[in-house]
Amino acid sequence: MKNKHVDELIPDYLDGSLKGEDLRKMEQHLAECPLCQKELEEMKLLFSAFREDQIEVPSERLKAQFEKVLETEISNHGQVIQLQPQRKGNNWSNTFLKVAASIALLVASFQMGSVFQQQKANKDIALLQEETLQMKQTAMLSLMENQSASKRIQGVSYIEEFESPDEAIIKALGNRLLYDENDNVRMSAFDALAKFTSSESVKNILIEALEKEKNPSIQVAIIQALVQIQEKKAVKPMQKLLDQEDTQPFIKEQIKAVLPSIT
Amino acid sequence: MRKSIFIIAALLVGTLAKAQTDYTKSLSGIEWVKIESKTDITVKTHSSNELLIKSGPEVKTPERAKGLKLVGEGGPDNTNIGFSVVQDGNTLIVHNLRKSKGAEIYLPKSQNLSVKSTWNGDIDIDGFSGEIEADAQLNGSVKITNVNGPVTANSLNGTLEVVFGTVKQDSPITLYSTNGVVDVSLPGNTPANLSLSTLNGNLYTDFDIKVTEKDGMKSYLGRKVNAAINGGGVKISMKSVNSNMYLRKK
């Protein structure tokens, strides 16, 4: 045991953690080994130095810096946390987009539907307009046969609804102009026909009417219309009117004035 | 006794005399009454649904015509007052066969009426709400007053004068004259589309007429004015070839 140094047990001895046998052997050895006593002295010094030495406390600055760093770290971490709600927002907008898209789809399909409906309605309206035009024509033709002169005139004035009246209408108007007993109906029929003097059948009706007509107002109106379109066939009935005794003087004047312009 | 016989005789004479000057006929089933006359005709309204002709002072039948009947172009006198009254379907045709002396004819207010003067007779129609047609074919004038319904009137040489009450129907009104003046009075608030034309005369009116001529198109009948008054409505057409036209606010 003499030769055996106890240097490795010194820290435990100093700590007081050596007990019983170990402690007795240690004290025995220390008493007879000067080397180990020296070692113990050194160790004691070291230990006291440890004990005396103050625990290093981090400075305020360090603390502040650390907290700053921590803060940034936290804030960085916070950003990550913030990302989550952002992503949630994205989800919401996604949902919103989806809802919007479905609404748009709904609206679009509704619009499409209504467009188709509209087209159909337009077709229907066109059909209806055609029908009303036909109905108007029927109404016009039947009104022109009415007992009341005012109703016949109303029928005649329906001509305004027709841009290009067919032969049936022209013929009905012609019959009014040629055969109606009421002067005002004949006058109105003339007014209606005068808008279509480019039609050959209208020209013929006017010439026939000029030969038959006794009312000077209508005579002068027909003469003016026929002169306006330079209708050569009007010359003969006009000369006939000049020769007739019962022709009003002002009609004769009128004929004399316009005859040179078409002969 | 003598007195009572005298009274009875007087009454008898009275009824006989009345029978000679008045003629009545029921108008049930009649839509139109057409009157034709060479002399003046005045048509007025009364409340019963019958035709009443007052021929005025008795016209003496010539001595030689005793036992004979008056015959005119409208047929024989079947009324004993110088008129021929014939029903044709829903139309009652009344001919004044006499060539002198006018007559007064009474008809219900809503009667549709057509009056024709074929010679010098003036036509005077007052107070009807039905349709009125008047035609003075030669020298007669036409005067139509206090009417609401559609009027179709024409004159050759006479004046054509119409005074309207409220005009609210939609059948057109046409008033044409060749040589006569056309003189029309309308309530100021009548909504109407006017068509006014005169060849050698002038148009005078106190209506606010805004010309709505189509694309500057000229009418064949010389000066023609198309205008809407009070927003437009019933068609009113007036023409005079050789005379002035007057359109008045009533």
Side-chain angles (χ1 to χ4, degrees), chain A residues 120-134:
Chain A
K120 196 177 174 290
N122 281 347
K123 259 184 222 164
D124 284 354
I125 286 169
L127 208 71
L128 206 68
Q129 271 171 343
E130 204 175 299
E131 264 174 33
T132 41
L133 213 61
Q134 274 175 351

Side-chain angles (χ1 to χ4, degrees), chain B residues 35-111:
Chain B
I35 301 166
E36 203 173 310
S37 174
K38 284 190 159 62
T39 63
D40 293 358
I41 282 287
T42 302
V43 191
K44 293 179 176 172
T45 58
H46 68 169
S47 53
S48 56
N49 188 31
E50 58 181 21
L51 163 79
L52 167 65
I53 304 173
K54 284 188 179 174
S55 65
E58 199 190 339
V59 183
K60 271 204 173 163
T61 35
E63 191 74 27
R64 290 172 192 271
K66 254 189 183 164
L68 304 178
K69 277 215 158 193
L70 175 62
V71 177
E73 54 183 322
D77 175 8
N78 58 3
T79 60
N80 292 322
I81 56 161
F83 278 78
S84 152
V85 178
V86 179
Q87 185 171 346
D88 176 18
N90 60 4
T91 307
L92 196 66
I93 300 166
V94 179
H95 261 98
N96 184 1
L97 304 175
R98 302 173 307 175
K99 295 181 176 66
S100 61
K101 303 263 184 202
E104 264 186 26
I105 295 176
Y106 290 81
L107 290 165
K109 192 176 165 66
S110 59
Q111 185 63 52

Side-chain angles (χ1 to χ4, degrees), chain B residues 189-194 227-236:
Chain B
N189 59 359
T190 306
N193 289 322
L194 301 173
I229 52 169
N230 299 309
V234 60
K235 279 180 81 123
I236 300 180

